[in-house]
Amino acid sequence: GGCSRGAQLDRAQAAWDAGNYDQAAEHYEQYLAENPSGEKAAFARYQLATVYRRDVKKCEKAIPHYIHLIEDFPKSPDVYSSRMYLAECYSKTDKPREAISEYENLLPQTADGKEKRRIRLQIADLYYKLNDYGQALAEFQKVTTNVGYDDLSEQAYLQLGGIHMLRDEFDEAV
């Protein structure tokens, strides 16, 4: 009944608070197995994904839970950060194209200029890792266009210079 369901989440939280992350994950997994679409399912998915990503450093186990949250609960307030973390996890598990795709999905969902540039920088870095220097250049340039000098443009300029060096475009690099 409802009381055991709540208890499962309480046990998960208690285990998490005590730093027993594997145990917390187990309780969340069990809760979700029994209540895949209950009112607390989105919350449980997000918590579970966070335990896997942040606390036990197993991004590959967090990925399916972020995907489930995004697809099953599109109205959840955690969808935006789930996409962000999903992209991060794809990046860490050597899936740069999937990461780029998630970051691209995020861009239209934020109106914040600095946040958009931060996402662009991630996208540019991923193209760089893929040795797609042409696309990386285009993305780094979007980070530096029409803005003052800040930490984001500094990173972008450093990367731009590095790409020009790699491509033997010494005049551009200077």
Side-chain angles (χ1 to χ4, degrees), residues 14-85:
W16 192 349
D17 292 340
N20 300 330
Y21 302 121
D22 291 327
Q23 204 180 341
E26 235 166 86
H27 287 303
Y28 284 126
E29 290 277 14
Q30 213 170 331
Y31 174 84
L32 286 163
E34 294 161 18
N35 313 278
S37 54
E39 59 181 89
K40 291 273 174 120
F43 166 80
R45 285 246 180 250
Y46 191 71
Q47 298 291 87
L48 178 56
T50 303
V51 172
Y52 283 142
R53 174 186 57 84
R54 190 186 69 192
D55 302 314
V56 298
K57 309 273 187 275
K58 288 185 179 156
C59 251
E60 69 285 350
K61 294 185 91 164
I63 288 171
H65 295 291
Y66 284 128
I67 292 171
H68 263 294
L69 192 143
I70 292 162
E71 291 179 354
D72 300 347
F73 304 96
K75 299 223 181 324
S76 161
D78 294 318
V79 165
Y80 185 87
S81 53
S82 292
R83 264 198 207 287
M84 187 68 80
Y85 291 133

Side-chain angles (χ1 to χ4, degrees), residues 41-142:
F43 166 80
R45 285 246 180 250
Y46 191 71
Q47 298 291 87
L48 178 56
T50 303
V51 172
Y52 283 142
R53 174 186 57 84
R54 190 186 69 192
D55 302 314
V56 298
K57 309 273 187 275
K58 288 185 179 156
C59 251
E60 69 285 350
K61 294 185 91 164
I63 288 171
H65 295 291
Y66 284 128
I67 292 171
H68 263 294
L69 192 143
I70 292 162
E71 291 179 354
D72 300 347
F73 304 96
K75 299 223 181 324
S76 161
D78 294 318
V79 165
Y80 185 87
S81 53
S82 292
R83 264 198 207 287
M84 187 68 80
Y85 291 133
L86 177 57
E88 194 184 291
C89 281
Y90 277 140
S91 215
K92 284 183 177 154
T93 53
D94 227 21
K95 296 190 168 82
R97 294 199 181 283
E98 289 88 339
I100 288 167
S101 163
E102 289 308 323
Y103 282 128
E104 292 283 2
N105 283 330
L106 277 172
L107 281 170
Q109 292 175 32
T110 179
D112 181 320
K114 181 138 188 179
E115 174 76 349
K116 275 189 195 295
R117 289 171 60 233
R118 211 178 62 71
I119 294 169
R120 284 257 175 244
L121 202 52
Q122 299 289 338
I123 293 171
D125 278 331
L126 287 158
Y127 278 120
Y128 184 85
K129 284 195 183 96
L130 285 164
N131 300 326
D132 186 343
Y133 299 130
Q135 194 59 46
L137 276 174
E139 297 294 336
F140 282 125
Q141 276 154 355
K142 288 176 194 164

Side-chain angles (χ1 to χ4, degrees), residues 117 139-148 152-157 160:
R117 289 171 60 233
E139 297 294 336
F140 282 125
Q141 276 154 355
K142 288 176 194 164
V143 176
T144 57
T145 307
N146 300 328
V147 289
L152 295 177
S153 48
E154 183 179 2
Q155 285 177 53
Y157 282 125
L160 282 165

